[in-house]
Amino acid sequence: MRYSILILITALFALFIVASVALYTIDFARDFYDFGMNFFFKKYVFYILFGILVSTFLTFYLKKDFFENKALMWIFYLIVVGFLLLPLFGPFSYKVNGANRWIKVPGFSVTFQPSELAKIFVIYFLAIYIKDNKEKIKHIWFGLLKPLLLISPLLFLIFIEPDLSTTLLILLVAITLLYFSGARLVQVIFLILVLVLIAFVLKEIGFIHDYQLDRLKAFLSNEMQWQVKKAYDAIGNGGFFGTGLALGKYYFFVPQSESDFIIATIGENFGYFGILLIVISYLFIVSNLIKIADEVKDDVVRYFIWGYAVLMLFQVVINMGVVSRIFPVTGIPLPFVSYGGSSILSFSIGLGIIFAGIYNQE
């Protein structure tokens, strides 16, 4: 297990280094062309260091009852619901492009996206649920319907922000984790068909917004959307080994080149070699998380690691799939690579929970 943990940490640091350099080049280019400095590099390094501190704190602070205390789990449930309500109502709500996904304390520039924290909590919640119901998980009520109904208030609050992509991502991770834990495949397929029907009904009554439908229509029509076109230009200009640091001419025109489309920045500066390094690092992280899960004795910790690995894998596939035109444009960040304190902090909390489970076992 220690060898797997060492590989995991090494791969994470590889991500940190590549992302740091990529964000530094964005700052350099924006300053050079007088676009205005955003200090992405400095903020990213701060988020990463803060995330490391949080992970370390949780590793040694969380005790075994964290993984067994159902009363504590429901307290966290209410806390997460409270956080998800804050963007929708009250003085902490912070709207961007018509979406209420963030909270912001008046007088401070820092924002936080509670749905990122909800991703980690749902995995923790389901890990405890699966352990308590593992003998009944093959029954459709206990294996799929009940757990999804229990997390549905969280999904609903994220959906109405609106944030359809995160809602679907959490739902997909939840179904996958339940399937890995023993839910029957035929039941999963039946549930997916029901969800498709529900999505159709939501569309008809106007719960799905026009811009979301426009993105889907553009994708189905094989029309390359302008964000993807600019990302293609940047990656294509990078070639195999890249243009060199800050020597590219397209990446700083890519929308969200520091977050959702950071792979375009990496592609132009580091080339396909840099993208390959990112992909290999994620493969090492996910594969070694699964190896660690196989060696963990505690069921809750094992299920949590599975869910965390699935979440990371899905986010990587979706993020890179958008640039590859496999999926429609959506705002799913690359874990530990995309700029954004909410995502980095939430994934760091997840790592801290994993390391705490391993530490308590030893």
Side-chain angles (χ1 to χ4, degrees):
M1 184 185 294
R2 292 183 180 181
Y3 182 67
S4 296
I5 293 174
L6 178 61
I7 295 177
L8 170 66
I9 293 174
T10 303
L12 284 169
F13 273 101
L15 295 180
F16 298 161
I17 292 170
V18 174
S20 297
V21 176
L23 290 167
Y24 181 82
T25 64
I26 295 175
D27 283 340
F28 179 87
R30 291 182 67 87
D31 184 46
F32 183 82
Y33 290 98
D34 200 27
F35 287 169
M37 287 288 284
N38 288 94
F39 301 104
F40 292 129
F41 169 73
K42 290 183 179 179
K43 292 177 182 177
Y44 174 80
V45 171
F46 171 79
Y47 294 148
I48 289 296
L49 292 176
F50 183 68
I52 292 173
L53 287 175
V54 170
S55 291
T56 304
F57 174 78
L58 293 176
T59 299
F60 298 105
Y61 176 78
L62 293 181
K63 303 304 178 185
K64 195 169 183 179
D65 64 339
F66 174 80
F67 301 95
E68 300 174 350
N69 192 330
K70 285 192 284 261
L72 185 64
M73 176 194 72
W74 285 110
I75 291 173
F76 282 128
Y77 188 105
L78 294 176
I79 292 173
V80 173
V81 168
F83 268 109
L84 290 173
L85 286 170
L86 289 177
L88 301 172
F89 312 100
F92 301 114
S93 175
Y94 184 68
K95 181 180 289 189
V96 178
N97 296 327
N100 295 86
R101 302 176 187 174
W102 296 268
I103 57 176
K104 180 181 179 181
V105 178
F108 292 86
S109 61
V110 178
T111 61
F112 182 73
Q113 191 170 352
S115 59
E116 293 293 333
L117 183 62
K119 294 176 184 176
I120 303 301
F121 173 76
V122 166
I123 297 170
Y124 164 69
F125 180 88
L126 290 177
I128 294 178
Y129 173 87
I130 293 168
K131 180 183 178 181
D132 291 341
N133 296 273
K134 60 182 179 180
E135 301 299 328
K136 300 177 286 186
I137 211 75
K138 290 186 178 182
H139 190 285
I140 190 170
W141 170 250
F142 293 100
L144 287 173
L145 299 182
K146 183 179 178 180
L148 293 181
L149 284 172
L150 288 173
I151 64 171
S152 61
L154 309 179
L155 297 176
F156 176 74
L157 290 173
I158 296 171
F159 176 74
I160 64 174
E161 289 179 349
D163 192 349
L164 179 60
S165 57
T166 300
T167 305
L168 293 176
L169 173 64
I170 295 175
L171 184 60
L172 183 60
V173 170
I175 292 173
T176 304
L177 180 56
L178 291 166
Y179 171 69
F180 284 164
S181 305
R184 296 179 184 274
L185 179 59
V186 65
Q187 296 172 352
V188 171
I189 294 173
F190 172 76
L191 177 64
I192 292 174
L193 293 175
V194 171
L195 292 173
V196 170
L197 178 61
I198 292 173
F200 178 78
V201 173
L202 291 175
K203 169 187 172 297
E204 291 300 313
I205 62 178
F207 267 88
I208 296 179
H209 297 261
D210 289 339
Y211 77 90
Q212 296 167 333
L213 293 173
D214 290 341
R215 287 181 178 180
L216 183 58
K217 289 176 183 176
F219 172 73
L220 294 176
S221 66
N222 205 31
E223 172 189 343
M224 183 181 286
Q225 294 178 271
W226 67 275
Q227 303 100 317
V228 179
K229 176 64 170 63
K230 290 184 178 296
Y232 261 59
D233 292 339
I235 295 172
N237 188 52
F240 192 81
F241 290 109
T243 59
L245 302 184
L247 297 179
K249 57 182 179 179
Y250 294 108
Y251 65 92
F252 46 88
F253 292 117
V254 177
Q256 287 82 49
S257 60
E258 76 286 353
S259 54
D260 298 341
F261 283 89
I262 194 171
I263 201 68
T265 303
I266 295 170
E268 186 166 18
N269 284 280
F270 295 96
Y272 298 123
F273 176 79
I275 295 176
L276 182 61
L277 177 61
I278 292 291
V279 172
I280 291 173
S281 296
Y282 280 123
L283 288 175
F284 274 124
I285 292 170
V286 172
S287 61
N288 281 278
L289 281 171
I290 294 172
K291 289 179 182 178
I292 292 169
D294 290 340
E295 297 182 40
V296 168
K297 298 176 183 177
D298 188 282
D299 287 341
V300 175
V301 179
R302 184 186 308 111
Y303 297 139
F304 182 87
I305 297 175
W306 284 356
Y308 185 91
V310 168
L311 174 63
M312 178 171 287
L313 180 62
F314 283 176
Q315 289 206 191
V316 172
V317 170
I318 293 171
N319 181 281
M320 293 191 174
V322 168
V323 180
S324 305
R325 298 180 68 192
I326 299 173
F327 301 110
V329 173
T330 186
I332 298 294
L334 275 178
F336 293 116
V337 173
S338 293
Y339 171 83
S342 304
S343 176
I344 293 171
L345 176 60
S346 298
F347 271 97
S348 298
I349 290 172
L351 272 183
I353 294 172
I354 290 172
F355 288 142
I358 297 169
Y359 179 76
N360 287 326
Q361 176 180 272
E362 296 182 352

